[in-house]
Amino acid sequence: MTPAEPRPDGARAGSPRPSTIEDVAREAGVSRAAVSKVIRNAYGVSDRMRTQVEAAIERLGYRPRVAARAMRGASFTFGFEIPQVGNDFLTMIVDGATEALAETPYQMIIAPLGRDQKGDMAINSLVDRQVDGIVAISPRVDPAWIERIAERIPVVMIGRHDRSDRYDTITGDDRSGAEQVMSHLLDQGHRRITHLTIHPSRPEPPWAGQAGDEPHVIRTAVYRERMAALGLEQSVVHTMFDGSEAHDATRALLASPEPPTAIFAGNDTLAIGVLSAIAEAGLDERDVSVVGYDNIPIAGHPLVSLSSVDQSGVLMGREAARLLFERLSGRTEAVQSQIEATLRERRSSAPPRRP
Amino acid sequence: MTPAEPRPDGARAGSPRPSTIEDVAREAGVSRAAVSKVIRNAYGVSDRMRTQVEAAIERLGYRPRVAARAMRGASFTFGFEIPQVGNDFLTMIVDGATEALAETPYQMIIAPLGRDQKGDMAINSLVDRQVDGIVAISPRVDPAWIERIAERIPVVMIGRHDRSDRYDTITGDDRSGAEQVMSHLLDQGHRRITHLTIHPSRPEPPWAGQAGDEPHVIRTAVYRERMAALGLEQSVVHTMFDGSEAHDATRALLASPEPPTAIFAGNDTLAIGVLSAIAEAGLDERDVSVVGYDNIPIAGHPLVSLSSVDQSGVLMGREAARLLFERLSGRTEAVQSQIEATLRERRSSAPPRRP
DNA sequence: TTGAAAGCGCTAACAG
DNA sequence: CTGTTAGCGCTTTCAA
């Protein structure tokens, strides 16, 4: 705006350019290399030099530029790709990882997905930023593509049940979790049970053979098996992931001639949407029971009291960070880590009024 | 682990090093500068060259390294500092910004705060990564320090009501919002109203004179004014931000000889904690009414139905992105943007049983 | 234990 | 319109 800027490099008065490693070296009377070693805690610096350099850093308020470091060595950054910022289960994962990174020089950055964006975009953006490790949560990316990335950067995939010998995976025990849900509902006497889950990938990706590895697909499969085993009629409804469609779908179900007495929702976000439709219809758990998956914090709230499968997101996040650190210190074989799943029974699921 | 790696630079078999701008230039038979211009959409490239270069990029799967770009020019990255990943109000802000960035070459990264970490850490980490713009949401950082950063990088502060001529601000109308809450409760006949809010900074920071600019402090001030004006006894309770302390504090309040008939919570997260204590005590809104602030999505859920002040976080996020882009294209005067606040009355607030 | 020097991949200024 | 060149701030050999 004011075209009379004094010098292009100098910024405005009183704003000295941030100091560089060079400045620190001069101030401490040592070489750049020496400073570099100090800030990296590298081997081969005398105590005297260390104190000198640290004093200079302090005096100058020096902070290493991540970009410059990344060009030669590490960026000291782990990148998290998360499909929805608002999803409380993912939040728990991030919390767990944040905690694990707290006392390390590593920082976490999160690349959120825009609506309708695919996971590739966010993962690519992390790669472009030369993060030292990637935690990917979107289940719908080409495994072969991820493997290629994992050749250069440690990758942990959370959720998907495929095995790779290039990247590590962390999964919940989706089969067991879903079994617990179904047993619970069937034991309570439910027979008309609808399963509500998110849409499968559309259009079918070329690697669709792998779709069976997605957590939601496994949960659905278990539902089908259990229903089939008892000769019960299966009813699977697909919606978008954000809960508002789950609400509408439930309303439609309730208006149908033979509404279900129980709904098994693929995750808690969907279940919350289901509960809202049930409440709006003036019904409760004796009319329609609901069970969710993930045990997000609000599920335990007494006003909501949603039965749900706990698969400790916090633990998953902590584990993800641990696996990345292991890779960084040399591990090359892939690891598959499985987290237990436990159904927490709450008020939202009860024996049906008329079985 | 396997110390017999063939070459330190070469990675493993079949993993060619990612292509650089140099490779693209060679492949397309042009200079590096030409490629650089194409990828930045810069002025001065013939259509023929553009197509050639784009083809080469495609063939090689080239992606520019952000670190290298950041060293000379821009990183095409906006950084968001957010104090709690799980807070749904902040989520709304991120969603708004994500949407605004969707069709641009800019990417967003989020630097979450660890527990007990201060906002400075996350903001510094963003600066270290040479982001092209910063959106800061933590209210408790030294304004002078932020101003210094804003001399080099565009900064938008969300929430705080201070004025700076170096950085932009976006605020809700906290005074009006709090007035609406208090009028609503008083009109309903409540006289014993407790205000529950998060702890003030501790220990007092040197710039504590500015504390009056924090949204929560303003809301508390309005509460005090309105109570004082009617000669009512004030009761302010401070808790941590995560809702579990709000739950405990409420339980204590309910057990006191003269429990409040209404609680005005500083934000929805606290209000949710309050509601859980009320529900656990077997009470409802006719015993103790609750009003929150932020109107997070769950507040509108029929099982919760929390009265709350809406200050459109989505709008704030969108606005933040817009302000950064304006700065990038030359604006130098600071802007203060204010978002309207509107109370949404729901079931959680009702006239007291015995006024 | 310390320092000198060679780049990492890119952009910007300038020359042709 | 296109290419040449000089760094950006750091890490990393490699000598001293």
Side-chain angles (χ1 to χ4, degrees):
Chain A
M1 280 294 164
T2 45
E5 290 291 352
R7 304 270 324 287
D9 66 296
R12 281 168 295 195
S15 158
R17 83 171 157 43
S19 46
T20 71
I21 201 171
E22 175 78 55
D23 300 328
V24 176
R26 202 176 317 116
E27 172 83 12
V30 299
S31 74
R32 288 199 324 254
V35 179
S36 175
K37 277 174 190 153
V38 170
I39 62 181
R40 282 175 299 123
N41 267 312
Y43 178 77
V45 261
S46 63
D47 281 359
R48 211 176 62 81
M49 166 161 283
R50 171 175 301 282
T51 10
Q52 250 176 79
V53 170
E54 273 165 355
I57 287 176
E58 179 70 21
R59 244 172 292 140
L60 266 43
Y62 166 74
R63 298 189 58 97
R65 237 75 95 233
V66 171
R69 308 185 84 169
M71 296 218 52
R72 297 296 277 160
S75 64
F76 296 98
T77 308
F78 286 157
F80 281 65
E81 173 267 325
I82 66 176
Q84 306 165 57
V85 219
N87 183 312
D88 285 321
F89 177 58
L90 307 183
T91 297
M92 293 164 78
I93 295 178
V94 170
D95 281 345
T98 306
E99 187 191 303
L101 262 44
E103 300 299 318
T104 74
Y106 283 77
Q107 251 280 329
M108 179 195 324
I109 66 176
I110 298 170
L113 241 59
R115 247 193 129 60
D116 313 319
Q117 242 178 223
K118 285 178 305 170
D120 327 28
M121 306 218 61
I123 293 176
N124 265 332
S125 125
L126 259 14
V127 174
D128 297 344
R129 279 169 183 73
Q130 275 149 284
V131 295
D132 299 329
I134 292 180
V135 178
I137 308 185
S138 272
R140 295 181 182 164
V141 287
D142 182 351
W145 178 73
I146 285 280
E147 289 210 317
R148 222 164 315 126
I149 288 173
E151 278 165 22
R152 329 208 101 262
I153 308 175
V155 172
V156 176
M157 288 257 359
I158 293 188
R160 216 166 55 180
H161 291 254
D162 50 343
R163 277 181 163 269
S164 162
D165 47 289
R166 312 236 91 137
Y167 56 80
D168 303 327
T169 58
I170 300 176
T171 53
D173 191 341
D174 291 292
R175 177 153 285 280
S176 157
E179 295 276 10
Q180 291 176 56
V181 172
M182 290 307 294
S183 296
H184 172 59
L185 291 175
L186 291 168
D187 286 355
Q188 286 188 324
H190 292 281
R191 289 301 175 264
R192 285 203 309 284
I193 306 174
T194 292
H195 179 55
L196 202 138
T197 188
I198 54 177
H199 268 119
S201 321
R202 224 182 5 184
E204 288 284 300
W207 39 274
Q210 313 271 5
D213 297 325
E214 292 180 28
H216 282 270
V217 175
I218 294 179
R219 296 171 200 168
T220 302
V222 171
Y223 162 83
R224 290 198 182 281
E225 289 166 19
R226 297 297 296 270
M227 293 297 274
L230 293 175
L232 298 173
E233 195 182 337
Q234 298 171 29
S235 148
V236 175
V237 177
H238 294 275
T239 71
M240 292 297 293
F241 54 74
D242 74 348
S244 68
E245 268 191 39
H247 170 275
D248 298 347
T250 303
R251 208 164 45 180
L253 280 171
L254 296 179
S256 68
E258 277 225 313
T261 67
I263 297 180
F264 169 22
N267 69 40
D268 284 352
T269 310
L270 299 182
I272 297 286
V274 169
L275 285 176
S276 73
I278 292 172
E280 280 171 17
L283 304 174
D284 68 18
E285 62 274 9
R286 301 302 305 272
D287 304 298
V288 188
S289 287
V290 181
V291 181
Y293 210 108
D294 286 346
N295 196 31
I296 63 178
I298 196 76
H301 194 287
L303 293 177
V304 176
S305 194
L306 169 67
S307 298
S308 185
V309 177
D310 187 353
Q311 49 172 346
S312 185
V314 173
L315 222 63
M316 288 188 176
R318 208 147 47 199
E319 178 76 352
R322 204 180 60 74
L323 291 179
L324 289 182
F325 281 128
E326 274 186 20
R327 286 276 188 181
L328 253 31
S329 43
R331 175 166 59 76
T332 55
E333 334 77 62
V335 163
Q336 282 82 34
S337 177
Q338 172 125 294
I339 307 281
E340 252 180 77
T342 315
L343 174 64
R344 308 266 176 236
E345 302 180 14
R346 299 207 178 88
R347 227 181 41 234
S348 71
S349 52
R353 201 160 269 149
R354 310 157 308 165
Chain B
M1 280 297 163
T2 44
E5 290 292 351
R7 302 271 324 288
D9 66 299
R12 282 167 294 194
S15 158
R17 80 167 160 46
S19 46
T20 71
I21 200 171
E22 177 78 53
D23 300 328
V24 176
R26 200 177 316 113
E27 172 84 11
V30 299
S31 73
R32 287 199 323 253
V35 178
S36 174
K37 278 175 189 154
V38 169
I39 63 181
R40 282 176 298 125
N41 265 312
Y43 177 77
V45 260
S46 63
D47 280 359
R48 211 177 62 82
M49 167 161 282
R50 173 177 300 281
T51 11
Q52 250 177 81
V53 170
E54 275 165 355
I57 288 177
E58 180 69 21
R59 245 173 292 141
L60 266 44
Y62 166 73
R63 299 190 56 98
R65 238 75 95 229
V66 171
R69 308 184 83 167
M71 296 219 50
R72 296 298 277 158
S75 64
F76 297 98
T77 308
F78 286 156
F80 281 66
E81 173 267 323
I82 65 175
Q84 305 165 57
V85 220
N87 183 313
D88 285 320
F89 178 57
L90 306 182
T91 296
M92 293 165 78
I93 295 178
V94 170
D95 281 344
T98 305
E99 187 191 305
L101 262 43
E103 298 300 317
T104 75
Y106 284 77
Q107 251 281 331
M108 178 196 324
I109 66 176
I110 297 171
L113 241 60
R115 249 194 127 61
D116 313 319
Q117 240 179 225
K118 285 178 304 169
D120 325 29
M121 305 218 62
I123 293 176
N124 265 332
S125 123
L126 257 14
V127 172
D128 296 343
R129 281 169 181 74
Q130 274 148 287
V131 296
D132 299 329
I134 292 180
V135 177
I137 308 186
S138 273
R140 295 178 183 166
V141 286
D142 182 352
W145 178 73
I146 285 281
E147 289 209 318
R148 221 165 314 126
I149 287 173
E151 279 164 21
R152 329 209 100 263
I153 308 175
V155 172
V156 176
M157 289 257 0
I158 294 188
R160 216 165 56 181
H161 289 255
D162 50 343
R163 277 177 162 271
S164 160
D165 47 290
R166 313 236 91 136
Y167 56 81
D168 303 327
T169 58
I170 300 176
T171 52
D173 192 342
D174 290 292
R175 178 154 283 280
S176 157
E179 294 277 10
Q180 291 175 55
V181 172
M182 290 307 293
S183 296
H184 172 60
L185 291 175
L186 291 167
D187 287 353
Q188 284 187 324
H190 292 281
R191 290 299 175 267
R192 285 202 309 284
I193 306 175
T194 292
H195 179 55
L196 202 139
T197 187
I198 53 177
H199 269 119
S201 321
R202 224 180 5 184
E204 289 283 301
W207 40 275
Q210 313 271 6
D213 296 323
E214 292 179 31
H216 282 269
V217 175
I218 294 179
R219 296 170 199 168
T220 303
V222 171
Y223 163 84
R224 291 197 181 281
E225 289 167 20
R226 295 298 297 272
M227 293 298 273
L230 293 174
L232 298 174
E233 195 182 336
Q234 298 172 27
S235 148
V236 175
V237 177
H238 295 275
T239 71
M240 292 298 291
F241 54 74
D242 74 348
S244 69
E245 269 192 37
H247 170 276
D248 297 347
T250 304
R251 206 164 49 180
L253 280 170
L254 296 179
S256 68
E258 278 226 314
T261 67
I263 297 179
F264 168 22
N267 68 42
D268 283 352
T269 309
L270 300 182
I272 297 286
V274 170
L275 284 176
S276 72
I278 293 173
E280 281 171 16
L283 304 174
D284 68 17
E285 61 274 8
R286 301 301 306 271
D287 304 298
V288 187
S289 287
V290 181
V291 181
Y293 211 107
D294 287 343
N295 195 33
I296 63 177
I298 196 75
H301 194 285
L303 292 177
V304 176
S305 194
L306 169 67
S307 299
S308 185
V309 177
D310 186 354
Q311 49 171 347
S312 185
V314 174
L315 222 64
M316 287 188 175
R318 207 145 50 199
E319 178 77 354
R322 204 180 60 72
L323 291 178
L324 289 182
F325 280 127
E326 275 187 19
R327 285 278 188 181
L328 252 29
S329 43
R331 174 165 62 75
T332 55
E333 334 78 61
V335 163
Q336 282 83 36
S337 178
Q338 172 126 294
I339 306 281
E340 252 181 74
T342 315
L343 174 64
R344 309 266 177 235
E345 302 180 13
R346 299 203 178 90
R347 225 179 45 231
S348 71
S349 54
R353 201 159 264 150
R354 310 156 310 163

